Amino acid sequence: KMRANHALLHAMALDKNYIDVIDDSIAQVAVDYYSRKGISKNKARAYYYLGIAYYYQKDYDKAILEFTKAEKVAELCDSLYWAMTKSIQAKVYSSTYNDIETLSCLKSALNIYLSISDYKKAQSVRLRIANQYLNQLDYQKADSLLTYILNSENVDNNIKSQAIKSYAYLKIIQPERESQKAIVLYEEYMDSEGVMSIQD
């Protein structure tokens, strides 16, 4: 039990410090132990971090399998990790160009975050949904979500900055282009110390 708990904490610490771990053996120790136990937060998290390792390995089939296991457990006992699992599932589906499942997972994650009053993560997911609509050229839905984010109170500065950038891009690619508006938005984005890409 101590080895499993240590392995789980190790995997969590690496992920929270933005270290992409492709070594699945760390989380596997936790999975080997907790998979034999009943429903628990640790069991959901063990599956989640094993899925994370497979995701960074780009082994998306194994990643989805572990995330599905994590989802089933987390749904019963850990709403935060349930939302996090739906969010990372969306990234897997996006990597395999499955737009329908990507949107479905993001919308589920948004609803869960809202249900537990985690508004910062909810806004972050809302921005991802807007960008997904933007990628699918659904300008009206993208515009609606981006406008909502930009008009919301107490929005995280980074999320607001990224929303400004996405909104500027929308103004360029929509059928009725608003180039001057896009320039103003890009300038606002740069004033917030945003980094411009070559595409921008």
Side-chain angles (χ1 to χ4, degrees):
K1 181 178 180 179
M2 287 176 65
R3 285 185 68 237
N5 194 40
H6 178 268
L8 181 56
L9 289 172
H10 188 182
M12 291 171 70
L14 292 169
D15 186 61
K16 288 186 182 297
N17 283 283
Y18 305 102
I19 298 172
D20 297 352
V21 183
I22 60 172
D23 181 5
D24 54 88
S25 64
I26 298 171
Q28 187 66 58
V29 172
V31 168
D32 289 344
Y33 177 80
Y34 290 113
S35 63
R36 302 193 303 269
K37 305 298 177 180
I39 298 298
S40 73
K41 290 184 177 183
N42 283 346
K43 184 175 186 176
R45 294 173 186 190
Y47 286 134
Y48 174 86
Y49 287 106
L50 182 56
I52 288 283
Y54 288 136
Y55 172 72
Y56 288 132
Q57 291 175 22
K58 300 189 187 306
D59 192 336
Y60 299 129
D61 289 338
K62 285 185 178 178
I64 280 293
L65 180 62
E66 297 305 323
F67 289 141
T68 300
K69 293 176 186 176
E71 176 189 358
K72 288 179 180 177
V73 179
E75 185 179 0
L76 300 173
C77 64
D78 192 342
S79 293
L80 176 60
Y81 270 79
W82 183 23
M84 288 168 61
T85 300
K86 297 306 293 185
S87 182
I88 193 69
Q89 281 177 323
K91 288 187 177 181
V92 176
Y93 286 123
S94 179
S95 298
T96 57
Y97 306 102
N98 188 334
D99 292 335
I100 293 173
E101 288 298 329
T102 299
L103 267 176
S104 175
C105 288
L106 287 173
K107 288 176 180 178
S108 294
L110 175 61
N111 289 332
I112 300 165
Y113 281 131
L114 290 173
S115 74
I116 60 174
S117 302
D118 193 332
Y119 299 115
K120 182 177 178 180
K121 285 191 174 70
Q123 287 289 47
S124 179
V125 171
R126 191 175 273 119
L127 177 59
R128 287 175 60 192
I129 294 172
N131 286 331
Q132 184 65 29
Y133 282 132
L134 200 53
N135 291 337
Q136 295 175 214
L137 308 182
D138 193 332
Y139 307 115
Q140 188 173 358
K141 288 181 180 177
D143 190 306
S144 177
L145 283 170
L146 291 169
T147 301
Y148 180 87
I149 294 169
L150 293 173
N151 291 332
S152 297
E153 295 181 2
N154 303 319
V155 180
D156 177 80
N157 287 337
N158 185 54
I159 293 171
K160 185 172 184 177
S161 178
Q162 293 302 315
I164 291 169
K165 180 180 174 184
S166 294
Y167 201 44
Y169 183 58
L170 170 64
K171 294 301 178 184
I172 292 171
I173 67 169
Q174 65 187 11
E176 296 180 6
R177 294 180 181 177
E178 299 179 52
S179 301
Q180 291 302 317
K181 176 67 174 175
I183 290 170
V184 170
L185 288 164
Y186 274 126
E187 287 175 347
E188 185 179 348
Y189 171 70
M190 289 164 61
D191 287 342
S192 68
E193 299 183 358
V195 179
M196 299 286 276
S197 68
I198 292 172
Q199 182 184 29
D200 298 324

